[in-house]
Amino acid sequence: MAGLAALSAAAQSKIVTESIQSGKLGCEQKYNVYLPDGYDAAKSYPVIYLLHGLYGDYSNWVQMGGMKIIADELIGTGELCPVVIVMPNAGDNDVHNYQNGYFNVKDWPYEDFFFQEFLPAVEQKFNCGGSKGKRAVMGLSMGGGGSIAYAQRHPELFSSAYGMSAWLDNKQREVRGTGKPESKLTLTDESVRKHSTLDFMDNADEKTIGQLKTVQWFLDCGDDDSLMPLSVELHLKMKKAGLHSELRVRNGGHTWEYWHTALRESFPFASRNFCR
């Protein structure tokens, strides 16, 4: 452990906070970016999009998830290649009055913003990504479901997708809004149901399955997490369809302790699947 601490202390990586003015959303959106030790804007880097969960924002992975320490250690040991890690904003603690989520809902076309504005702007600014083979997406809970859904709907853009404790569907009302139309959480609930990753697999035709096979999939959920059956169900559907899917059910619940440790699996997984 002392050796890993020394590696982390010696690393000169940094977290920068940036913002982008969105025409789609009609507001400014902040985001965090991890730049590895020795980052050189003249060089091209692979990119990981690291998504936060419900009741969260772009700062969570740094402030609560300890992602910088883990990325530094894994790059130091060679388990993670030097990479740019982008943490977008898609939420707020006030889930009833602020729109959360990674999908298009009424007056909040977030998915359009992400793919049409955010992704191209970030990759140009930090000289990262640029192709499927150099791009991965992952996240926790709402962001885990968003990661899997994004890769399902845009398989041409991502080499891998990793869902931690992923909110993959809302058939059983795994997360409940107030049920009142004026609550933003109600819209978030409905958007997850509408973009069910389970239904997506059930409805995928042969052409779509062929496209999904070009993505490496990983589902990781704690055995005490109420969302765990969703990961198991999706994994089985993916395996039946012939997709390259990994499943881990480890000890733990829907907690930052679990997601912190999940990064030690997810970062190397993304790295192994980048085109070198």
Side-chain angles (χ1 to χ4, degrees), residues 130-150:
S131 66
K132 173 186 176 72
K134 297 181 66 176
R135 189 183 293 121
V137 62
M138 62 181 65
L140 69 90
S141 194
M142 180 181 77
S147 298
I148 299 300
Y150 274 9

Side-chain angles (χ1 to χ4, degrees), residues 1 22 64 90 96 102 107 145 155 186 191 205 236 276:
M1 293 300 294
S22 171
M64 302 173 72
H96 296 292
Y102 296 95
D107 300 323
T186 298
S191 73
D205 59 21
L236 293 175
R276 303 302 175 87

